[in-house]
Amino acid sequence: MENTHFELIIIGAGPGGYAAAFRATDLGKQVLLIDKFDALGGVCLNRGCIPSKALLHLAKVISEAKSVESLGVTFQPPKLDIDKIRTWKESVISQLNKGISQLAKARGVSRTTGTAKFLSENSITVENSTGNSTYSFDDCIIATGSKPAKIHTFPDDPRIISSTGALALKEIPKSLLVVGGGYIGLEMGSVYHAFGSKVTVVELMPSLLPDADADLVKPLQKKLT
C-alpha cells in the first residue's frame, strides 16, 4: 500500500465500518479500512448474527417437525452430524465474507489487517505479524464493535463459554445454563434446546428481553416455557 495518507480511516470492518467505507468511497473519499481479522464483516457476520441465524434455521425446522405430532404426523428423532452442521455454517459465513470483499474492491476501498493505535490526533499505527505501518488521516471513524462480556467471579473453566464459543458447536451438552435472557442468550438457548440440550436461562431483570416491548415478550416467553 503506497499511500500513507487517507481522507478517512475506519477502524473496524463490521456492519458499521464497512457500510461507512462504502458510503464514503461513493462520495469520492479516499478510504482505508482497518480490521484485526482478514475476513470483513466483524462480529455480526463472523461470530454473531449470521451464524446464529443459520443455526436458528435448523432449530426452526426441528421445532416445526415436532410441532405437528399433535396433528398426527410423527417424524423420527433427528440425527445431528455436528461436524457437517459446523461446515455448512462456516460456508454461509465464507460466502458473505467474499461478497463484502468484492464490494470493497469494486469501490476502491483500501484495506489493511492489524491492530490500530493512535499516535496523534491525525495519525495511527497498525501493528500486525509483519511489522508496523503508520498512516495519517483527515477524519477517522472508530467502529470496533462488541465482544462477549465476562463475569469475573466465574472460575476459569472449559465448561464456561461465551457466545463465540457456543457458535463453534464443538459438542452438544446434556444441560446448558444460559446467563442472560437477552436476544443472544435466547438464540443460543433455542439452538441448543432444539439440538437436544436441557436449557435453563437466568436473567437479572424481571422478564426476558428487558429492552423489548412486553406485549412481544409475553408470547415468546410462553413458547419458550
Side-chain angles (χ1 to χ4, degrees), residues 13-49:
Y18 73 73
F22 293 172
R23 178 61 175 158
T25 54
D26 288 347
L27 294 173
K29 297 286 187 180
Q30 285 184 310
V31 178
L32 174 63
L33 183 61
I34 305 169
D35 199 276
K36 60 183 177 180
F37 297 104
D38 290 328
L40 299 180
V43 171
C44 180
L45 173 51
N46 297 289
R47 300 172 297 282
C49 314

Side-chain angles (χ1 to χ4, degrees), residues 1 3-22 25 30-43 46-47 100 104 109-119 122-129 131-137 139-145:
M1 188 181 298
N3 188 12
T4 58
H5 179 83
F6 291 87
E7 293 175 274
L8 175 65
I9 286 181
I10 300 172
I11 305 172
Y18 73 73
F22 293 172
T25 54
Q30 285 184 310
V31 178
L32 174 63
L33 183 61
I34 305 169
D35 199 276
K36 60 183 177 180
F37 297 104
D38 290 328
L40 299 180
V43 171
N46 297 289
R47 300 172 297 282
I100 296 174
V109 176
S110 297
R111 293 177 51 191
T112 189
T113 303
T115 302
K117 294 183 179 180
F118 285 94
L119 297 176
N122 288 105
S123 65
I124 62 168
T125 181
V126 178
E127 301 176 358
N128 54 39
S129 58
N132 296 358
S133 301
T134 301
Y135 304 97
S136 58
F137 57 86
D139 295 290
C140 181
I141 294 175
I142 302 173
T144 49

Side-chain angles (χ1 to χ4, degrees), residues 55-96:
L55 296 176
L56 280 169
H57 168 68
L58 298 182
K60 181 182 179 182
V61 172
I62 294 172
S63 177
E64 288 183 342
K66 190 174 182 180
S67 69
V68 295
E69 289 181 0
S70 61
L71 305 179
V73 180
T74 303
F75 294 92
Q76 293 294 326
K79 294 181 179 180
L80 303 180
D81 185 332
I82 295 301
D83 291 336
K84 197 169 183 178
I85 292 173
R86 187 170 56 249
T87 299
W88 168 73
K89 178 204 68 175
E90 294 298 330
S91 71
V92 172
I93 295 171
S94 177
Q95 185 175 1
L96 292 173

Side-chain angles (χ1 to χ4, degrees), residues 8 19 24 96 99 121 128 138 146-147 178 192 195 201 216 224:
L8 175 65
L96 292 173
E121 63 180 16
N128 54 39
D138 298 328
S146 63
K147 62 181 179 179
V178 179
Y192 275 84
F195 288 177
V201 178
L216 297 175
L224 291 174

Side-chain angles (χ1 to χ4, degrees), residues 160-202:
I160 299 175
I161 58 176
S162 66
S163 57
T164 302
L167 287 167
L169 285 180
K170 293 183 177 179
E171 61 179 347
I172 306 300
K174 291 183 179 180
S175 62
L176 180 70
L177 174 66
V178 179
V179 181
Y183 74 92
I184 296 175
L186 296 184
E187 285 181 347
M188 289 294 89
S190 297
V191 167
Y192 275 84
H193 171 71
F195 288 177
S197 297
K198 180 180 179 181
V199 176
T200 302
V201 178
V202 293

